[in-house]
Amino acid sequence: MTTVTECAVLLLPLTETVPCCVPSDGAMSQVAAPARTTSREAVRSGVVNKSRWRIAFLALAAAVLLGAMILSLGVGAKFIPATTVLEAFTNPLDTADHAIILQTRLPRTLMGIAVGISLGVAGALIQAITRNPLADPGILGVNAGASFAMVIAIGVFGIGSLSGYIWFAFIGAILTTAAVYLIGTSGRNEVNPIRLTLAGVALGAVLTGIGSGLTLLNPKAFDHLRSWSIGSLDTRSMESVLTVAPFMAAGLIIALFCVSGLNAVALGDDLATSLGANVNRTRILGVVAITLLSGAATAGAGAIGFVGLMIPHVARWIVGPDQRWILASTVLLAPILLLVSDVVGRIAAPGELPVGVVTAFIGAPVLIALARRRKVSGL
């Protein structure tokens, strides 16, 4: 029987295209096997190259984060050189510069890193779970619930220390998220992203209105909440960092358990279920992680907006739609944004701008740009 090669050689002088010729089974196998091998090798090569590029990006982001940490430790009312900053950790001395770094700026920097990671990861989780690219942690009413609980703690119980009312803020965030979840499910077995989002927005608006009214009736509460309500890393002690750190760590651990199902959930409930993903389990774990991360971040540094909105989009543009790489990138990019914003706030005005104001200046144009795009980046 004529093989493919022989058929092509015989007919090539007659026409520029090879006519149809039925090859033998052996010839078909000889042609198909190299094609499959080449295709597999190309796919594997592309995956390996993309993974290497992503790892290189994470290494670069880690280096930038280290630079942002040094910048945060050195810039302030008094500028301290980077060499002095490094010396404060390698060879601490009883000097004014080292005292400023270790006692004042180090807790502030650590709080900025912890809050940045928490808000960024919470934002990535909520965007994946609700399939809403414009969502951020505040959409579940976490900030409003924490703020309302702080108004109660300060105005009703007279608690004025951070170590006291931070627990009220955290409990308020947990209760608000639980209420949003119950309202969003409405007695059904499934969690609907649209109902969850609407319930969070509605309950957050109600709590914000009530809290604002109580604050205006109590000037003392207003004074305590002035800087906290817009988000600030100023006057944070190491005690505050140690108070919120366990809850943030628990939220990150839970996020790791649900990250495997986020890629499937982002495709839609029906397709995710057909792929074998447990959609409800992923959403429940995600909501718990969001509550812990956002509640602890809000309790520790106040209502800082737009970090959870911007960073997941930036990560998605750089590393692609894989939620595992998005979360890994967010862990590095979010604290960079928060630390740099905090440094800008220290030098942008004669006094100091709270970090929440700086992130709002950056985030508002980003939100407008995202809303005006015809097609927001896919989840």
Side-chain angles (χ1 to χ4, degrees), residues 52 71 112 193 209 222:
R52 289 176 179 174
L71 194 65
F222 178 76

Side-chain angles (χ1 to χ4, degrees), residues 143-161 164-173 175-176 206-218 220-222 224-225 228:
N143 293 347
S147 180
F148 178 76
M150 283 188 60
V151 171
I152 299 298
I154 297 172
V156 177
F157 296 99
I159 300 175
S161 63
Y165 60 67
I166 192 174
W167 296 101
F168 280 82
F170 190 73
I171 293 173
L175 294 178
T176 303
V206 171
L207 293 178
T208 299
I210 297 175
S212 298
L214 294 176
T215 300
L216 294 177
L217 296 176
N218 192 332
K220 179 182 177 181
F222 178 76
H224 278 82
L225 291 173
W228 186 91

Side-chain angles (χ1 to χ4, degrees), residues 1-10 18-19 21-24 27-28 31:
M1 184 177 290
T2 306
T3 64
V4 173
T5 305
E6 292 171 346
C7 181
V9 171
L10 290 174
V18 179
C21 183
V22 180
S24 63
M28 179 65 75
V31 174

Side-chain angles (χ1 to χ4, degrees), residues 160-188:
S161 63
L162 177 62
S163 59
Y165 60 67
I166 192 174
W167 296 101
F168 280 82
F170 190 73
I171 293 173
I174 294 176
L175 294 178
T176 303
T177 305
V180 168
Y181 181 81
L182 292 176
I183 297 173
T185 54
S186 300
R188 298 177 175 86

Side-chain angles (χ1 to χ4, degrees), residues 243-262:
T243 300
V244 299
F247 300 102
M248 295 177 176
L252 291 175
I253 293 174
I254 295 175
L256 291 177
F257 280 101
C258 70
V259 68
S260 59
L262 290 179

